[in-house]
Amino acid sequence: MEVKSFAVTVGAGMVLGAAAIMMMPRQNKVRRAVEKTANKIEDRIEDTMCCMKHS
């Protein structure tokens, strides 16, 4: 499998997974856990980018 086709497959899977999560009710435990995890990942990326800018 080429890297390009692998990246497209992973990207499509991520989009479909996100769409499925967004269709769940707001109070769903799975949706809340996914949102919490996504927020933590976003915070880590922002922290890393900030540290890279100041280095």
mmCIF file of all heavy atoms in Angstrom:
data_model
loop_
_atom_site.group_PDB
_atom_site.id
_atom_site.type_symbol
_atom_site.label_atom_id
_atom_site.label_comp_id
_atom_site.label_asym_id
_atom_site.label_seq_id
_atom_site.Cartn_x
_atom_site.Cartn_y
_atom_site.Cartn_z
ATOM 1 N N MET A 1 0.846 -1.181 0.000
ATOM 2 C CA MET A 1 0.000 0.000 0.000
ATOM 3 C C MET A 1 0.890 1.241 0.000
ATOM 4 O O MET A 1 1.830 1.336 0.779
ATOM 5 C CB MET A 1 -0.903 -0.010 1.231
ATOM 6 C CG MET A 1 -1.843 1.166 1.288
ATOM 7 S SD MET A 1 -2.892 1.222 2.757
ATOM 8 C CE MET A 1 -4.093 -0.001 2.360
ATOM 9 N N GLU A 2 0.584 2.156 -0.868
ATOM 10 C CA GLU A 2 1.353 3.388 -0.937
ATOM 11 C C GLU A 2 0.990 4.298 0.226
ATOM 12 O O GLU A 2 -0.105 4.221 0.782
ATOM 13 C CB GLU A 2 1.059 4.106 -2.243
ATOM 14 C CG GLU A 2 1.577 3.385 -3.460
ATOM 15 C CD GLU A 2 1.319 4.169 -4.719
ATOM 16 O OE1 GLU A 2 1.204 5.398 -4.654
ATOM 17 O OE2 GLU A 2 1.207 3.536 -5.769
ATOM 18 N N VAL A 3 1.901 5.167 0.564
ATOM 19 C CA VAL A 3 1.680 6.098 1.670
ATOM 20 C C VAL A 3 0.489 7.001 1.379
ATOM 21 O O VAL A 3 -0.331 7.273 2.265
ATOM 22 C CB VAL A 3 2.951 6.939 1.933
ATOM 23 C CG1 VAL A 3 2.692 7.998 2.979
ATOM 24 C CG2 VAL A 3 4.097 6.038 2.348
ATOM 25 N N LYS A 4 0.365 7.437 0.135
ATOM 26 C CA LYS A 4 -0.732 8.336 -0.227
ATOM 27 C C LYS A 4 -2.086 7.660 -0.011
ATOM 28 O O LYS A 4 -2.985 8.248 0.591
ATOM 29 C CB LYS A 4 -0.584 8.768 -1.681
ATOM 30 C CG LYS A 4 -1.625 9.746 -2.144
ATOM 31 C CD LYS A 4 -1.379 10.149 -3.591
ATOM 32 C CE LYS A 4 -2.435 11.101 -4.093
ATOM 33 N NZ LYS A 4 -2.205 11.466 -5.491
ATOM 34 N N SER A 5 -2.250 6.430 -0.465
ATOM 35 C CA SER A 5 -3.527 5.743 -0.303
ATOM 36 C C SER A 5 -3.786 5.429 1.168
ATOM 37 O O SER A 5 -4.932 5.471 1.624
ATOM 38 C CB SER A 5 -3.580 4.477 -1.145
ATOM 39 O OG SER A 5 -2.577 3.571 -0.757
ATOM 40 N N PHE A 6 -2.735 5.151 1.918
ATOM 41 C CA PHE A 6 -2.883 4.913 3.351
ATOM 42 C C PHE A 6 -3.381 6.179 4.044
ATOM 43 O O PHE A 6 -4.306 6.125 4.854
ATOM 44 C CB PHE A 6 -1.552 4.460 3.967
ATOM 45 C CG PHE A 6 -1.616 4.295 5.446
ATOM 46 C CD1 PHE A 6 -2.246 3.194 6.001
ATOM 47 C CD2 PHE A 6 -1.047 5.230 6.294
ATOM 48 C CE1 PHE A 6 -2.308 3.034 7.378
ATOM 49 C CE2 PHE A 6 -1.111 5.081 7.665
ATOM 50 C CZ PHE A 6 -1.732 3.977 8.203
ATOM 51 N N ALA A 7 -2.789 7.319 3.713
ATOM 52 C CA ALA A 7 -3.189 8.584 4.325
ATOM 53 C C ALA A 7 -4.642 8.925 3.982
ATOM 54 O O ALA A 7 -5.394 9.391 4.836
ATOM 55 C CB ALA A 7 -2.260 9.699 3.877
ATOM 56 N N VAL A 8 -5.039 8.673 2.745
ATOM 57 C CA VAL A 8 -6.425 8.937 2.341
ATOM 58 C C VAL A 8 -7.376 8.034 3.112
ATOM 59 O O VAL A 8 -8.431 8.477 3.583
ATOM 60 C CB VAL A 8 -6.594 8.756 0.813
ATOM 61 C CG1 VAL A 8 -8.059 8.774 0.422
ATOM 62 C CG2 VAL A 8 -5.825 9.826 0.063
ATOM 63 N N THR A 9 -7.018 6.773 3.270
ATOM 64 C CA THR A 9 -7.865 5.827 4.000
ATOM 65 C C THR A 9 -7.993 6.231 5.471
ATOM 66 O O THR A 9 -9.095 6.225 6.028
ATOM 67 C CB THR A 9 -7.286 4.404 3.907
ATOM 68 O OG1 THR A 9 -7.157 4.058 2.522
ATOM 69 C CG2 THR A 9 -8.166 3.395 4.605
ATOM 70 N N VAL A 10 -6.894 6.602 6.085
ATOM 71 C CA VAL A 10 -6.929 7.031 7.490
ATOM 72 C C VAL A 10 -7.755 8.300 7.631
ATOM 73 O O VAL A 10 -8.576 8.427 8.543
ATOM 74 C CB VAL A 10 -5.494 7.234 8.035
ATOM 75 C CG1 VAL A 10 -5.513 7.909 9.380
ATOM 76 C CG2 VAL A 10 -4.780 5.902 8.133
ATOM 77 N N GLY A 11 -7.549 9.251 6.734
ATOM 78 C CA GLY A 11 -8.304 10.502 6.781
ATOM 79 C C GLY A 11 -9.797 10.279 6.627
ATOM 80 O O GLY A 11 -10.602 10.857 7.352
ATOM 81 N N ALA A 12 -10.175 9.413 5.688
ATOM 82 C CA ALA A 12 -11.593 9.114 5.479
ATOM 83 C C ALA A 12 -12.188 8.452 6.717
ATOM 84 O O ALA A 12 -13.313 8.765 7.128
ATOM 85 C CB ALA A 12 -11.766 8.225 4.257
ATOM 86 N N GLY A 13 -11.437 7.559 7.328
ATOM 87 C CA GLY A 13 -11.908 6.903 8.548
ATOM 88 C C GLY A 13 -12.102 7.884 9.687
ATOM 89 O O GLY A 13 -13.079 7.802 10.438
ATOM 90 N N MET A 14 -11.190 8.834 9.797
ATOM 91 C CA MET A 14 -11.309 9.848 10.845
ATOM 92 C C MET A 14 -12.545 10.718 10.628
ATOM 93 O O MET A 14 -13.268 11.039 11.572
ATOM 94 C CB MET A 14 -10.050 10.701 10.898
ATOM 95 C CG MET A 14 -8.835 9.950 11.398
ATOM 96 S SD MET A 14 -7.315 10.888 11.266
ATOM 97 C CE MET A 14 -7.615 12.214 12.399
ATOM 98 N N VAL A 15 -12.791 11.107 9.389
ATOM 99 C CA VAL A 15 -13.952 11.950 9.081
ATOM 100 C C VAL A 15 -15.247 11.200 9.370
ATOM 101 O O VAL A 15 -16.173 11.745 9.982
ATOM 102 C CB VAL A 15 -13.903 12.418 7.610
ATOM 103 C CG1 VAL A 15 -15.211 13.044 7.188
ATOM 104 C CG2 VAL A 15 -12.759 13.398 7.408
ATOM 105 N N LEU A 16 -15.324 9.948 8.940
ATOM 106 C CA LEU A 16 -16.540 9.164 9.187
ATOM 107 C C LEU A 16 -16.754 8.910 10.680
ATOM 108 O O LEU A 16 -17.885 8.957 11.166
ATOM 109 C CB LEU A 16 -16.478 7.849 8.422
ATOM 110 C CG LEU A 16 -16.549 7.981 6.899
ATOM 111 C CD1 LEU A 16 -16.316 6.625 6.237
ATOM 112 C CD2 LEU A 16 -17.876 8.561 6.469
ATOM 113 N N GLY A 17 -15.684 8.660 11.387
ATOM 114 C CA GLY A 17 -15.789 8.461 12.836
ATOM 115 C C GLY A 17 -16.256 9.721 13.542
ATOM 116 O O GLY A 17 -17.109 9.670 14.437
ATOM 117 N N ALA A 18 -15.712 10.866 13.139
ATOM 118 C CA ALA A 18 -16.130 12.133 13.735
ATOM 119 C C ALA A 18 -17.597 12.411 13.438
ATOM 120 O O ALA A 18 -18.339 12.889 14.304
ATOM 121 C CB ALA A 18 -15.259 13.270 13.215
ATOM 122 N N ALA A 19 -18.035 12.105 12.224
ATOM 123 C CA ALA A 19 -19.437 12.320 11.861
ATOM 124 C C ALA A 19 -20.351 11.444 12.711
ATOM 125 O O ALA A 19 -21.407 11.897 13.173
ATOM 126 C CB ALA A 19 -19.645 12.026 10.380
ATOM 127 N N ALA A 20 -19.948 10.209 12.955
ATOM 128 C CA ALA A 20 -20.758 9.304 13.774
ATOM 129 C C ALA A 20 -20.840 9.809 15.214
ATOM 130 O O ALA A 20 -21.914 9.778 15.832
ATOM 131 C CB ALA A 20 -20.167 7.894 13.743
ATOM 132 N N ILE A 21 -19.738 10.302 15.736
ATOM 133 C CA ILE A 21 -19.720 10.835 17.103
ATOM 134 C C ILE A 21 -20.611 12.061 17.210
ATOM 135 O O ILE A 21 -21.345 12.240 18.179
ATOM 136 C CB ILE A 21 -18.276 11.167 17.543
ATOM 137 C CG1 ILE A 21 -17.437 9.889 17.654
ATOM 138 C CG2 ILE A 21 -18.267 11.929 18.858
ATOM 139 C CD1 ILE A 21 -17.860 8.923 18.722
ATOM 140 N N MET A 22 -20.569 12.934 16.199
ATOM 141 C CA MET A 22 -21.353 14.171 16.238
ATOM 142 C C MET A 22 -22.859 13.898 16.176
ATOM 143 O O MET A 22 -23.649 14.725 16.610
ATOM 144 C CB MET A 22 -20.947 15.100 15.094
ATOM 145 C CG MET A 22 -19.529 15.620 15.197
ATOM 146 S SD MET A 22 -19.182 16.465 16.750
ATOM 147 C CE MET A 22 -20.179 17.908 16.562
ATOM 148 N N MET A 23 -23.270 12.750 15.643
ATOM 149 C CA MET A 23 -24.690 12.424 15.574
ATOM 150 C C MET A 23 -25.224 11.860 16.886
ATOM 151 O O MET A 23 -26.435 11.741 17.063
ATOM 152 C CB MET A 23 -24.953 11.439 14.438
ATOM 153 C CG MET A 23 -24.811 12.076 13.073
ATOM 154 S SD MET A 23 -25.391 11.057 11.729
ATOM 155 C CE MET A 23 -24.205 9.740 11.723
ATOM 156 N N MET A 24 -24.336 11.559 17.817
ATOM 157 C CA MET A 24 -24.777 11.046 19.113
ATOM 158 C C MET A 24 -25.347 12.186 19.955
ATOM 159 O O MET A 24 -24.957 13.336 19.790
ATOM 160 C CB MET A 24 -23.599 10.424 19.866
ATOM 161 C CG MET A 24 -23.074 9.174 19.275
ATOM 162 S SD MET A 24 -21.706 8.572 20.278
ATOM 163 C CE MET A 24 -21.359 7.050 19.464
ATOM 164 N N PRO A 25 -26.243 11.879 20.878
ATOM 165 C CA PRO A 25 -26.763 12.928 21.770
ATOM 166 C C PRO A 25 -25.640 13.537 22.605
ATOM 167 O O PRO A 25 -24.646 12.873 22.915
ATOM 168 C CB PRO A 25 -27.739 12.178 22.674
ATOM 169 C CG PRO A 25 -28.023 10.899 21.989
ATOM 170 C CD PRO A 25 -26.851 10.587 21.126
ATOM 171 N N ARG A 26 -25.792 14.803 22.961
ATOM 172 C CA ARG A 26 -24.751 15.511 23.716
ATOM 173 C C ARG A 26 -24.420 14.845 25.054
ATOM 174 O O ARG A 26 -23.301 14.936 25.531
ATOM 175 C CB ARG A 26 -25.169 16.953 23.976
ATOM 176 C CG ARG A 26 -24.919 17.854 22.808
ATOM 177 C CD ARG A 26 -24.647 19.250 23.342
ATOM 178 N NE ARG A 26 -24.185 20.175 22.351
ATOM 179 C CZ ARG A 26 -22.928 20.285 21.961
ATOM 180 N NH1 ARG A 26 -22.019 19.474 22.430
ATOM 181 N NH2 ARG A 26 -22.575 21.195 21.097
ATOM 182 N N GLN A 27 -25.388 14.226 25.684
ATOM 183 C CA GLN A 27 -25.167 13.623 26.995
ATOM 184 C C GLN A 27 -24.624 12.200 26.920
ATOM 185 O O GLN A 27 -24.435 11.563 27.947
ATOM 186 C CB GLN A 27 -26.474 13.645 27.797
ATOM 187 C CG GLN A 27 -26.976 15.047 28.063
ATOM 188 C CD GLN A 27 -25.972 15.917 28.777
ATOM 189 O OE1 GLN A 27 -25.296 15.465 29.704
ATOM 190 N NE2 GLN A 27 -25.826 17.153 28.336
ATOM 191 N N ASN A 28 -24.341 11.706 25.731
ATOM 192 C CA ASN A 28 -23.819 10.360 25.552
ATOM 193 C C ASN A 28 -22.413 10.284 26.152
ATOM 194 O O ASN A 28 -21.565 11.145 25.906
ATOM 195 C CB ASN A 28 -23.791 10.025 24.061
ATOM 196 C CG ASN A 28 -23.419 8.596 23.799
ATOM 197 O OD1 ASN A 28 -22.337 8.157 24.170
ATOM 198 N ND2 ASN A 28 -24.313 7.872 23.154
ATOM 199 N N LYS A 29 -22.149 9.241 26.923
ATOM 200 C CA LYS A 29 -20.846 9.091 27.588
ATOM 201 C C LYS A 29 -19.709 8.996 26.580
ATOM 202 O O LYS A 29 -18.632 9.552 26.790
ATOM 203 C CB LYS A 29 -20.841 7.858 28.477
ATOM 204 C CG LYS A 29 -21.695 7.987 29.693
ATOM 205 C CD LYS A 29 -21.638 6.719 30.540
ATOM 206 C CE LYS A 29 -22.540 6.821 31.727
ATOM 207 N NZ LYS A 29 -22.502 5.609 32.556
ATOM 208 N N VAL A 30 -19.940 8.293 25.477
ATOM 209 C CA VAL A 30 -18.895 8.133 24.466
ATOM 210 C C VAL A 30 -18.554 9.489 23.849
ATOM 211 O O VAL A 30 -17.390 9.841 23.689
ATOM 212 C CB VAL A 30 -19.330 7.133 23.373
ATOM 213 C CG1 VAL A 30 -18.324 7.083 22.248
ATOM 214 C CG2 VAL A 30 -19.539 5.757 23.976
ATOM 215 N N ARG A 31 -19.584 10.256 23.503
ATOM 216 C CA ARG A 31 -19.354 11.574 22.898
ATOM 217 C C ARG A 31 -18.597 12.483 23.864
ATOM 218 O O ARG A 31 -17.664 13.179 23.469
ATOM 219 C CB ARG A 31 -20.676 12.223 22.498
ATOM 220 C CG ARG A 31 -20.461 13.571 21.853
ATOM 221 C CD ARG A 31 -21.705 14.175 21.337
ATOM 222 N NE ARG A 31 -21.437 15.510 20.825
ATOM 223 C CZ ARG A 31 -22.241 16.171 20.052
ATOM 224 N NH1 ARG A 31 -23.362 15.633 19.667
ATOM 225 N NH2 ARG A 31 -21.924 17.374 19.649
ATOM 226 N N ARG A 32 -18.978 12.486 25.127
ATOM 227 C CA ARG A 32 -18.282 13.333 26.098
ATOM 228 C C ARG A 32 -16.824 12.900 26.250
ATOM 229 O O ARG A 32 -15.936 13.741 26.347
ATOM 230 C CB ARG A 32 -18.999 13.300 27.439
ATOM 231 C CG ARG A 32 -20.295 14.109 27.411
ATOM 232 C CD ARG A 32 -20.890 14.255 28.772
ATOM 233 N NE ARG A 32 -21.405 12.937 29.179
ATOM 234 C CZ ARG A 32 -21.850 12.652 30.378
ATOM 235 N NH1 ARG A 32 -21.873 13.548 31.313
ATOM 236 N NH2 ARG A 32 -22.292 11.440 30.664
ATOM 237 N N ALA A 33 -16.571 11.602 26.265
ATOM 238 C CA ALA A 33 -15.198 11.108 26.391
ATOM 239 C C ALA A 33 -14.361 11.492 25.172
ATOM 240 O O ALA A 33 -13.202 11.904 25.303
ATOM 241 C CB ALA A 33 -15.193 9.598 26.576
ATOM 242 N N VAL A 34 -14.942 11.381 23.978
ATOM 243 C CA VAL A 34 -14.227 11.741 22.756
ATOM 244 C C VAL A 34 -13.927 13.231 22.737
ATOM 245 O O VAL A 34 -12.817 13.644 22.394
ATOM 246 C CB VAL A 34 -15.033 11.315 21.508
ATOM 247 C CG1 VAL A 34 -14.452 11.920 20.240
ATOM 248 C CG2 VAL A 34 -15.070 9.803 21.403
ATOM 249 N N GLU A 35 -14.899 14.061 23.120
ATOM 250 C CA GLU A 35 -14.677 15.505 23.149
ATOM 251 C C GLU A 35 -13.595 15.877 24.150
ATOM 252 O O GLU A 35 -12.747 16.732 23.874
ATOM 253 C CB GLU A 35 -15.983 16.236 23.480
ATOM 254 C CG GLU A 35 -16.975 16.244 22.342
ATOM 255 C CD GLU A 35 -18.279 16.915 22.700
ATOM 256 O OE1 GLU A 35 -18.524 17.210 23.891
ATOM 257 O OE2 GLU A 35 -19.076 17.148 21.780
ATOM 258 N N LYS A 36 -13.603 15.226 25.303
ATOM 259 C CA LYS A 36 -12.593 15.498 26.327
ATOM 260 C C LYS A 36 -11.201 15.126 25.827
ATOM 261 O O LYS A 36 -10.237 15.883 25.982
ATOM 262 C CB LYS A 36 -12.930 14.706 27.599
ATOM 263 C CG LYS A 36 -12.064 15.014 28.772
ATOM 264 C CD LYS A 36 -12.552 14.259 30.003
ATOM 265 C CE LYS A 36 -11.688 14.520 31.210
ATOM 266 N NZ LYS A 36 -12.152 13.797 32.397
ATOM 267 N N THR A 37 -11.101 13.974 25.186
ATOM 268 C CA THR A 37 -9.817 13.533 24.633
ATOM 269 C C THR A 37 -9.346 14.472 23.525
ATOM 270 O O THR A 37 -8.174 14.844 23.470
ATOM 271 C CB THR A 37 -9.937 12.101 24.097
ATOM 272 O OG1 THR A 37 -10.364 11.251 25.160
ATOM 273 C CG2 THR A 37 -8.620 11.599 23.556
ATOM 274 N N ALA A 38 -10.267 14.876 22.649
ATOM 275 C CA ALA A 38 -9.915 15.792 21.559
ATOM 276 C C ALA A 38 -9.421 17.123 22.110
ATOM 277 O O ALA A 38 -8.454 17.700 21.592
ATOM 278 C CB ALA A 38 -11.106 15.999 20.641
ATOM 279 N N ASN A 39 -10.055 17.615 23.153
ATOM 280 C CA ASN A 39 -9.620 18.877 23.764
ATOM 281 C C ASN A 39 -8.222 18.754 24.361
ATOM 282 O O ASN A 39 -7.405 19.669 24.249
ATOM 283 C CB ASN A 39 -10.614 19.334 24.826
ATOM 284 C CG ASN A 39 -11.909 19.831 24.234
ATOM 285 O OD1 ASN A 39 -11.960 20.248 23.086
ATOM 286 N ND2 ASN A 39 -12.981 19.779 25.006
ATOM 287 N N LYS A 40 -7.935 17.617 25.001
ATOM 288 C CA LYS A 40 -6.599 17.410 25.566
ATOM 289 C C LYS A 40 -5.541 17.369 24.466
ATOM 290 O O LYS A 40 -4.470 17.947 24.606
ATOM 291 C CB LYS A 40 -6.559 16.102 26.371
ATOM 292 C CG LYS A 40 -7.235 16.191 27.700
ATOM 293 C CD LYS A 40 -7.105 14.877 28.460
ATOM 294 C CE LYS A 40 -7.784 14.928 29.788
ATOM 295 N NZ LYS A 40 -7.649 13.666 30.539
ATOM 296 N N ILE A 41 -5.853 16.675 23.371
ATOM 297 C CA ILE A 41 -4.906 16.595 22.254
ATOM 298 C C ILE A 41 -4.669 17.975 21.670
ATOM 299 O O ILE A 41 -3.524 18.359 21.398
ATOM 300 C CB ILE A 41 -5.424 15.619 21.177
ATOM 301 C CG1 ILE A 41 -5.404 14.194 21.717
ATOM 302 C CG2 ILE A 41 -4.607 15.733 19.894
ATOM 303 C CD1 ILE A 41 -6.117 13.187 20.839
ATOM 304 N N GLU A 42 -5.747 18.744 21.501
ATOM 305 C CA GLU A 42 -5.618 20.102 20.960
ATOM 306 C C GLU A 42 -4.750 20.969 21.868
ATOM 307 O O GLU A 42 -3.890 21.711 21.389
ATOM 308 C CB GLU A 42 -7.008 20.725 20.815
ATOM 309 C CG GLU A 42 -6.993 22.097 20.182
ATOM 310 C CD GLU A 42 -8.378 22.683 20.037
ATOM 311 O OE1 GLU A 42 -9.358 22.084 20.519
ATOM 312 O OE2 GLU A 42 -8.475 23.759 19.443
ATOM 313 N N ASP A 43 -4.944 20.863 23.181
ATOM 314 C CA ASP A 43 -4.134 21.633 24.125
ATOM 315 C C ASP A 43 -2.665 21.245 24.037
ATOM 316 O O ASP A 43 -1.778 22.110 24.068
ATOM 317 C CB ASP A 43 -4.636 21.427 25.555
ATOM 318 C CG ASP A 43 -5.986 22.072 25.800
ATOM 319 O OD1 ASP A 43 -6.399 22.928 24.985
ATOM 320 O OD2 ASP A 43 -6.635 21.705 26.802
ATOM 321 N N ARG A 44 -2.377 19.946 23.923
ATOM 322 C CA ARG A 44 -0.986 19.490 23.814
ATOM 323 C C ARG A 44 -0.335 20.019 22.540
ATOM 324 O O ARG A 44 0.820 20.439 22.557
ATOM 325 C CB ARG A 44 -0.916 17.961 23.819
ATOM 326 C CG ARG A 44 -1.273 17.336 25.127
ATOM 327 C CD ARG A 44 -0.109 17.432 26.102
ATOM 328 N NE ARG A 44 -0.471 16.989 27.415
ATOM 329 C CZ ARG A 44 -0.138 15.821 27.933
ATOM 330 N NH1 ARG A 44 0.562 14.975 27.243
ATOM 331 N NH2 ARG A 44 -0.506 15.519 29.157
ATOM 332 N N ILE A 45 -1.079 19.999 21.443
ATOM 333 C CA ILE A 45 -0.532 20.497 20.172
ATOM 334 C C ILE A 45 -0.237 21.982 20.283
ATOM 335 O O ILE A 45 0.825 22.446 19.856
ATOM 336 C CB ILE A 45 -1.499 20.197 19.010
ATOM 337 C CG1 ILE A 45 -1.538 18.691 18.752
ATOM 338 C CG2 ILE A 45 -1.093 20.959 17.748
ATOM 339 C CD1 ILE A 45 -2.615 18.264 17.782
ATOM 340 N N GLU A 46 -1.154 22.740 20.881
ATOM 341 C CA GLU A 46 -0.938 24.180 21.053
ATOM 342 C C GLU A 46 0.280 24.450 21.932
ATOM 343 O O GLU A 46 1.085 25.340 21.635
ATOM 344 C CB GLU A 46 -2.175 24.831 21.643
ATOM 345 C CG GLU A 46 -3.324 24.933 20.669
ATOM 346 C CD GLU A 46 -4.584 25.486 21.299
ATOM 347 O OE1 GLU A 46 -4.585 25.793 22.510
ATOM 348 O OE2 GLU A 46 -5.580 25.611 20.565
ATOM 349 N N ASP A 47 0.419 23.686 23.015
ATOM 350 C CA ASP A 47 1.581 23.855 23.896
ATOM 351 C C ASP A 47 2.882 23.559 23.156
ATOM 352 O O ASP A 47 3.874 24.265 23.302
ATOM 353 C CB ASP A 47 1.466 22.944 25.125
ATOM 354 C CG ASP A 47 0.367 23.375 26.068
ATOM 355 O OD1 ASP A 47 -0.131 24.513 25.948
ATOM 356 O OD2 ASP A 47 -0.012 22.553 26.940
ATOM 357 N N THR A 48 2.867 22.497 22.356
ATOM 358 C CA THR A 48 4.054 22.112 21.610
ATOM 359 C C THR A 48 4.422 23.185 20.587
ATOM 360 O O THR A 48 5.587 23.559 20.453
ATOM 361 C CB THR A 48 3.824 20.770 20.890
ATOM 362 O OG1 THR A 48 3.497 19.783 21.875
ATOM 363 C CG2 THR A 48 5.055 20.334 20.123
ATOM 364 N N MET A 49 3.417 23.683 19.875
ATOM 365 C CA MET A 49 3.680 24.730 18.878
ATOM 366 C C MET A 49 4.202 26.000 19.538
ATOM 367 O O MET A 49 5.098 26.656 19.010
ATOM 368 C CB MET A 49 2.397 25.041 18.092
ATOM 369 C CG MET A 49 1.915 23.894 17.236
ATOM 370 S SD MET A 49 3.134 23.313 16.050
ATOM 371 C CE MET A 49 3.217 24.714 14.958
ATOM 372 N N CYS A 50 3.658 26.328 20.691
ATOM 373 C CA CYS A 50 4.113 27.516 21.411
ATOM 374 C C CYS A 50 5.577 27.350 21.824
ATOM 375 O O CYS A 50 6.375 28.278 21.656
ATOM 376 C CB CYS A 50 3.252 27.731 22.649
ATOM 377 S SG CYS A 50 3.650 29.221 23.569
ATOM 378 N N CYS A 51 5.931 26.159 22.322
ATOM 379 C CA CYS A 51 7.310 25.905 22.744
ATOM 380 C C CYS A 51 8.263 25.942 21.551
ATOM 381 O O CYS A 51 9.389 26.416 21.675
ATOM 382 C CB CYS A 51 7.414 24.560 23.448
ATOM 383 S SG CYS A 51 6.616 24.545 25.067
ATOM 384 N N MET A 52 7.809 25.448 20.406
ATOM 385 C CA MET A 52 8.652 25.443 19.216
ATOM 386 C C MET A 52 8.896 26.868 18.704
ATOM 387 O O MET A 52 9.975 27.179 18.234
ATOM 388 C CB MET A 52 8.014 24.596 18.128
ATOM 389 C CG MET A 52 8.006 23.116 18.444
ATOM 390 S SD MET A 52 7.123 22.149 17.234
ATOM 391 C CE MET A 52 8.242 22.212 15.858
ATOM 392 N N LYS A 53 7.896 27.737 18.836
ATOM 393 C CA LYS A 53 8.039 29.123 18.391
ATOM 394 C C LYS A 53 9.059 29.878 19.249
ATOM 395 O O LYS A 53 9.793 30.712 18.762
ATOM 396 C CB LYS A 53 6.692 29.858 18.465
ATOM 397 C CG LYS A 53 5.747 29.482 17.378
ATOM 398 C CD LYS A 53 4.460 30.298 17.510
ATOM 399 C CE LYS A 53 3.453 29.913 16.475
ATOM 400 N NZ LYS A 53 2.192 30.669 16.657
ATOM 401 N N HIS A 54 9.076 29.565 20.541
ATOM 402 C CA HIS A 54 9.936 30.295 21.468
ATOM 403 C C HIS A 54 11.332 29.695 21.601
ATOM 404 O O HIS A 54 12.162 30.228 22.332
ATOM 405 C CB HIS A 54 9.270 30.390 22.844
ATOM 406 C CG HIS A 54 7.998 31.181 22.819
ATOM 407 N ND1 HIS A 54 7.973 32.520 22.550
ATOM 408 C CD2 HIS A 54 6.706 30.808 23.006
ATOM 409 C CE1 HIS A 54 6.731 32.947 22.578
ATOM 410 N NE2 HIS A 54 5.934 31.921 22.850
ATOM 411 N N SER A 55 11.593 28.621 20.903
ATOM 412 C CA SER A 55 12.917 27.990 20.997
ATOM 413 C C SER A 55 13.888 28.633 20.041
ATOM 414 O O SER A 55 13.614 29.217 19.073
ATOM 415 C CB SER A 55 12.816 26.505 20.630
ATOM 416 O OG SER A 55 12.079 25.848 21.639
#
